[in-house]
Amino acid sequence: MTDLSTYVKPSVAIDLAIMTVLDGRLKVLLVRRPEGDVAGYAMPGGFVRIEDSLETAVERVLAEKVGIDDVHFEQLATYGTLGRDPRGRVISIVYLALCSADTLQTAATGDRVLVNLLVDWSDQTGGPARVNREGADLSLSFDHADILGDVVQRLRGKLDYSSIAFALLSDTFTLRAVQEVHEAILARPLTKPPFRRKLLDRGLIQPTGALEAGGAFRPAALYELKSKD
């Protein structure tokens, strides 16, 4: 039996790309790094403990670093480029954590900021991302610009064949809200009639029978995801 103690052990971290759509824009929650450490803004993260499963580590980071739970999360990819972390050899497993704007706005306090996530490429071309707050770009730590670019690419790639967009909405939603989420992820406008026709033809959602409360216009119908049962 091989003695594993003879091998140098890299650190393994969890990083969370915590996303929502607010005011028609794709947003990500970042943490301002402490002075004297690796400078800039970064995704919330933490190291995996010996006793942790990966899912347990994700839930711990969500609870301790962000203060939220019960959100949709899925593994994006593993990043292990040499030199990606100047503090040492760190391999990071990155997860998407998607939630409604109401949930994420409450988490954006102190060193946690909710910022615009932008890419300078179209469709699913791929490449690094930028983050912007109040008209100014922020500096991203580590390789998080590349990772967040991969996040946008993943979201765009899954829109047409999964229900991932609905993880960015409340339990009930209007067709207008669904379109706004798609437009924010794709960074381009969509024509309402064909979008709604395609959305309803997919059979993922159903009307609740209730109407949107408030607003200056005629109340819109509320929908929900169909049960998988």
Side-chain angles (χ1 to χ4, degrees), residues 17 19 26 74 76-77 79 96 98 117-130 144-162 164 184-187:
M19 315 290 299
L26 188 61
E74 64 179 63
L76 173 71
Y79 295 82
L96 292 176
L98 308 179
L117 178 57
L118 309 167
V119 296
D120 298 319
W121 39 269
S122 61
D123 300 323
Q124 295 181 51
T125 307
R130 294 184 291 113
H144 289 192
D146 292 324
I147 293 173
L148 289 172
D150 291 347
V151 167
V152 176
Q153 191 176 38
R154 167 70 66 85
L155 288 174
R156 290 181 179 182
K158 294 189 70 170
L159 277 181
D160 282 340
Y161 72 87
S162 77
I164 196 167
I185 293 171
L186 296 170

Side-chain angles (χ1 to χ4, degrees), residues 8 24 34 44 72 85 94 106 122 124 157 162 207-208 228:
V8 176
H72 170 90
D85 190 326
V94 178
T106 62
S122 61
Q124 295 181 51
S162 77
T208 65
K228 294 181 180 180

Side-chain angles (χ1 to χ4, degrees), residues 19 22 25-27 38 48 52 56 62 65 68 72 79 92 181 192 217:
M19 315 290 299
L22 178 63
R25 310 205 58 179
L26 188 61
K27 304 274 187 173
V38 181
V48 179
D52 282 346
T56 298
L62 280 170
K65 298 290 185 73
I68 61 175
H72 170 90
Y79 295 82
S92 179
V181 164
K192 184 167 73 172
F217 303 100

Side-chain angles (χ1 to χ4, degrees), residues 156-200:
R156 290 181 179 182
K158 294 189 70 170
L159 277 181
D160 282 340
Y161 72 87
S162 77
S163 60
I164 196 167
F166 298 96
L168 296 163
L169 294 163
S170 301
D171 291 339
T172 60
F173 44 81
T174 64
L175 297 181
R176 179 184 67 253
V178 181
Q179 182 169 339
E180 286 176 353
V181 164
H182 281 71
E183 290 177 335
I185 293 171
L186 296 170
R188 59 181 173 86
L190 299 169
T191 306
K192 184 167 73 172
F195 172 80
R196 292 190 174 187
R197 188 163 52 248
K198 181 179 178 180
L199 176 64
L200 294 172

